[in-house]
């Protein structure tokens, strides 16, 4: 039967579809089951016994599970055991073994003597005298316990096969009888008694290097039971993890624990390669390799994978994508440039304004000069102080320094006179220039002491 399982894989926009087919029991990772005196019918997909008189204990169909174990009871084909069959104090064993049918007789029970042999199932075949009688109702009595349940009973027209399987092994004699008014409608044709296998498998001598087995506290296991193999950390199983007593060979099918290695190549990535991958090297558990992209491509995630416990490489969602300058970065750069220009213009404007203010403050006339002049004329009639002369240029200062004073007579020398001062050249030599000390101080403060 086909099962369609769809997985979507986000990898470069590709969608993968996996189609799986259900595997048969004989073709799986679980150990193959070899049933003695039995076969696996491929057509019916179940186990069957090779001979008609054998009885199949366990499940006809086993299911292989994810951990490598079989789900279900391991089948076993059992042959009938010898017994004496009595009815109305007469031994009917020989007649029944000759495939002769015997009338059910009176209402008294049939007795099967096993002489303390253990048994697990009983099968009785009845034949009706008429086709419309139906199926007989059989009651079993073992050690004074009555069992009315019927299992694996088939009723096909005149032939009825009654089978009862006990949950546990039983001992003692068996008695059975039919329900009232039916004993004269049927014949007893076959009676078979079956017992499960008492086979045991020793496991105390099993040794698993770099691993251990379970159960570890017992010396043997019964038929159909399994032994579990486990490997230590850093090692992986090579072989079947489960082996079953009676149907698998515990001596030749023991697995091995080998150091975990990732031999297969990691998954291929478009436009990229694994940086430290070397096909000839042995990669052990937790070894790591890194993904690098071709020129012009960039990783979209962390591109590292590790060697896992199952011998496979881990997966990554990383991919090598074509590198393109993101549009949002363009907007960011443009906004940053505009902001920088605005800040620069504001700074230039502030600097220019401060310089202009400083120039205007330097041209302002000092007010403390007026206060000193007021002190000079204190007590006199105050007149409007003369306007302060403009600051002299270097040229005027040089010309003014060319004037000489006469030390003895306090008269000007007839040296060169600055025409811009509009001094009268006709001033006589006896004219005395009287300069008060206060005026000299003001002049020194204005023009210096030179």
């Amino acid at each position: 039967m086909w099962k369609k399982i769809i997985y979507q894989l986000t990898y470069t926009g590709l969608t993968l579809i996996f189609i799986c087919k259900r595997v048969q029991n004989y073709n799986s990772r679980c150990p193959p089951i070899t049933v003695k005196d039995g076969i696996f019918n491929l057509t019916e997909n179940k186990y069957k016994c090779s001979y008609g008189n054998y009885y199949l204990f366990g499940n006809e169909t086993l299911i292989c599970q994810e951990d490598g174990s079989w789900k279900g009871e391991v089948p076993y084909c059992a042959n009938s055991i010898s017994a004496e069959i009595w009815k109305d104090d007469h031994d009917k064993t020989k007649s029944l073994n000759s495939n002769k049918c015997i009338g059910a007789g009176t209402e008294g029970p049939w007795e099967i003597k096993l002489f303390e042999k253990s048994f697990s199932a009983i099968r009785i075949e009845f034949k009706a005298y008429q086709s419309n009688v139906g199926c007989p109702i059989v009651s079993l009595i073992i050690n004074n316990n009555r069992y009315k349940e019927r299992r694996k009973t088939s009723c096909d027209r005149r032939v009825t096969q009654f089978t009862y399987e006990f949950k546990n092994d039983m001992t003692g004699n068996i008695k059975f009888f039919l329900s009232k008014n039916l004993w004269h409608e049927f014949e007893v044709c076959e009676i078979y008694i079956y017992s499960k296998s008492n086979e045991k498998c020793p496991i105390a001598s099993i040794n698993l290097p770099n691993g251990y087995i379970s159960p570890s506290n017992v010396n043997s296991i019964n038929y159909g039971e399994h032994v579990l193999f486990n490997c230590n950390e850093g090692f992986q199983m090579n072989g079947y993890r489960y082996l079953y007593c009676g149907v698998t060979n515990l001596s030749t099918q023991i697995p091995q624990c080998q150091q975990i290695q990732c031999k297969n190549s990691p998954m291929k990535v478009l436009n990229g390669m694994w940086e430290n991958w070397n096909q000839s090297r042995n990669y052990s558990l937790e070894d790591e390799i890194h993904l690098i992209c071709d020129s012009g491509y960039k990783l979209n995630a962390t591109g590292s994978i590790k060697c896992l416990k199952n011998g496979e490489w881990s997966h990554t969602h990383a991919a090598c994508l074509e590198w393109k300058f993101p549009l949002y970065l363009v907007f960011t750069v443009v906004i940053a440039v505009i902001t920088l220009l605005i800040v620069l213009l504001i700074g230039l404007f502030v600097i220019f304004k401060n310089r202009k203010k400083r120039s205007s403050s330097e041209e302002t006339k000092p007010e403390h000069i007026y206060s000193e002049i007021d002190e000079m004329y204190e007590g006199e009639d105050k007149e409007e102080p003369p306007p302060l002369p403009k600051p002299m240029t270097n040229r005027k200062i040089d010309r003014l320094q060319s004037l000489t004073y006469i030390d003895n007579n306090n008269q000007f020398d007839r040296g060169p006179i600055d025409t811009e001062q509009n001094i009268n050249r006709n001033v006589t030599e006896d004219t005395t220039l009287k300069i008060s000390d206060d005026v000299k101080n003001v002049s020194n403060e204005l023009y210096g002491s030179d």
Side-chain angles (χ1 to χ4, degrees):
M1 179 179 179
W2 288 85
K3 289 185 178 180
K4 187 175 182 181
I5 306 175
I6 301 177
Y7 299 95
Q8 290 190 352
L9 176 64
T10 305
Y11 172 66
T12 64
L14 183 64
T15 299
L16 300 181
I17 299 178
F18 298 91
I19 301 201
C20 303
K21 184 179 181 180
R22 181 180 177 183
V23 297
Q24 303 291 345
N25 293 339
Y26 60 91
N27 185 20
S28 64
R29 57 186 171 186
C30 296
I33 302 298
T34 303
V35 179
K36 184 180 179 180
D37 299 321
I39 60 172
F40 183 80
N41 191 309
L42 299 179
T43 304
E44 299 180 7
N45 193 26
K46 64 181 181 180
Y47 290 95
K48 299 181 68 175
C49 293
S50 304
Y51 309 99
N53 292 335
Y54 279 78
Y55 180 79
L56 180 70
F57 287 99
N59 293 94
E60 295 179 341
T61 301
L62 301 177
I63 300 176
C64 182
Q65 301 184 104
E66 291 293 331
D67 61 351
S69 64
W70 291 106
K71 181 180 180 181
E73 185 181 351
V74 175
Y76 171 72
C77 288
N79 196 3
S80 61
I81 60 178
S82 59
E84 290 184 3
I85 302 172
W86 291 73
K87 171 62 175 164
D88 297 333
D89 296 328
H90 292 85
D91 188 356
K92 305 293 183 179
T93 305
K94 187 176 181 179
S95 299
L96 292 176
N97 290 340
S98 301
N99 295 327
K100 293 182 179 180
C101 296
I102 302 174
T106 62
E107 295 181 356
W110 289 69
E111 185 176 4
I112 303 173
K113 299 180 181 181
L114 295 171
F115 307 103
E116 301 301 323
K117 295 179 183 178
S118 62
F119 59 93
S120 302
I122 179 174
R123 185 171 68 186
I124 307 173
E125 185 175 303
F126 298 94
K127 185 177 180 181
Y129 289 112
Q130 298 178 0
S131 59
N132 58 353
V133 174
C135 297
I137 300 176
V138 183
S139 297
L140 297 176
I141 300 176
I142 304 174
N143 300 327
N144 296 324
N145 293 323
R146 179 168 295 188
Y147 298 86
K148 295 183 179 181
E149 299 88 351
R150 294 183 298 175
R151 297 185 182 180
K152 298 183 180 180
T153 300
S154 62
C155 184
D156 183 14
R157 293 185 180 180
R158 296 177 61 184
V159 179
T160 298
Q161 182 173 285
F162 171 85
T163 304
Y164 191 96
E165 182 178 327
F166 300 94
K167 295 180 180 179
N168 302 312
D169 290 342
M170 307 291 292
T171 55
N173 294 335
I174 304 173
K175 293 182 180 181
F176 74 90
F177 57 90
L178 304 181
S179 62
K180 293 182 179 181
N181 301 325
L182 290 178
W183 58 269
H184 59 279
E185 298 288 345
F186 291 93
E187 294 179 308
V188 177
C189 299
E190 294 179 350
I191 297 178
Y192 297 101
I193 308 298
Y194 301 98
S195 177
K196 288 183 179 180
S197 173
N198 294 323
E199 181 180 354
K200 290 183 176 294
C201 300
I203 62 173
S205 60
I206 297 178
N207 183 29
L208 182 64
N210 301 315
Y212 56 95
I213 64 173
S214 179
S216 59
N217 56 348
V218 297
N219 294 325
S220 62
I221 56 176
N222 297 323
Y223 177 90
E225 294 179 345
H226 64 263
V227 59
L228 171 62
F229 297 90
N230 296 279
C231 292
N232 298 332
E233 185 73 19
F235 294 85
Q236 63 182 354
M237 187 75 62
N238 183 15
Y240 297 111
R241 192 180 181 190
Y242 291 84
L243 293 180
Y244 292 81
C245 176
V247 291
T248 58
N249 196 326
L250 296 181
S251 60
T252 61
Q253 293 183 339
I254 296 177
Q256 295 180 349
C257 290
Q258 298 177 344
Q259 188 177 13
I260 294 176
Q261 293 182 351
C262 291
K263 298 181 180 179
N264 297 329
S265 301
M267 63 178 184
K268 294 183 179 180
V269 179
L270 295 178
N271 305 312
M273 61 180 295
W274 297 104
E275 181 179 12
N276 51 338
W277 162 252
N278 188 349
Q279 190 172 3
S280 60
R281 175 187 167 186
N282 292 328
Y283 292 87
S284 302
L285 179 66
E286 295 298 328
D287 282 348
E288 188 173 354
I289 58 176
H290 306 278
L291 177 65
I292 57 175
C293 294
D294 298 339
S295 178
Y297 294 87
K298 181 182 179 181
L299 274 174
N300 68 334
T302 303
S304 298
I305 59 176
K306 289 184 178 181
C307 182
L308 302 179
K309 294 181 179 181
N310 58 359
E312 300 293 338
W313 290 102
S314 62
H315 294 281
T316 178
H317 297 290
C320 291
L321 305 178
E322 186 176 1
W323 171 250
K324 294 181 180 179
F325 196 78
L327 189 59
Y328 71 91
L329 289 181
V330 177
F331 292 149
T332 304
V333 171
V334 172
I335 293 173
V337 172
I338 294 175
T339 304
L340 182 60
L341 291 176
I342 293 174
V343 172
L344 183 59
L345 292 175
I346 293 174
L348 293 175
F349 175 77
V350 172
I351 293 172
F352 176 77
K353 187 175 181 180
N354 290 337
R355 286 185 177 180
K356 187 175 181 181
K357 184 176 181 181
R358 191 183 307 162
S359 299
S360 60
S361 63
E362 290 178 354
E363 295 178 357
T364 304
K365 299 176 181 180
E367 297 180 356
H368 69 281
I369 302 299
Y370 290 101
S371 63
E372 293 180 359
I373 294 175
D374 291 339
E375 292 177 358
M376 291 170 54
Y377 292 96
E378 186 175 359
E380 301 178 2
D381 294 336
K382 293 185 179 181
E383 297 180 357
E384 187 71 22
L388 292 175
K390 295 183 179 180
M392 300 178 64
T393 62
N394 293 336
R395 183 177 179 184
K396 293 179 179 180
I397 293 174
D398 293 339
R399 292 180 179 179
L400 182 61
Q401 288 178 352
S402 63
L403 296 176
T404 59
Y405 291 89
I406 301 175
D407 296 334
N408 296 327
N409 299 322
N410 292 326
Q411 294 180 349
F412 285 106
D413 190 9
R414 292 181 180 274
I417 300 176
D418 189 354
T419 56
E420 294 184 9
Q421 297 296 328
N422 199 17
I423 300 176
N424 190 359
R425 296 180 181 272
N426 297 322
V427 177
T428 60
E429 293 181 359
D430 57 345
T431 303
T432 302
L433 179 60
K434 296 181 181 181
I435 303 174
S436 65
D437 294 336
D438 294 335
V439 176
K440 285 182 179 181
N441 292 334
V442 174
S443 178
N444 290 337
E445 187 172 354
L446 289 173
Y447 304 107
S449 58
D450 294 338

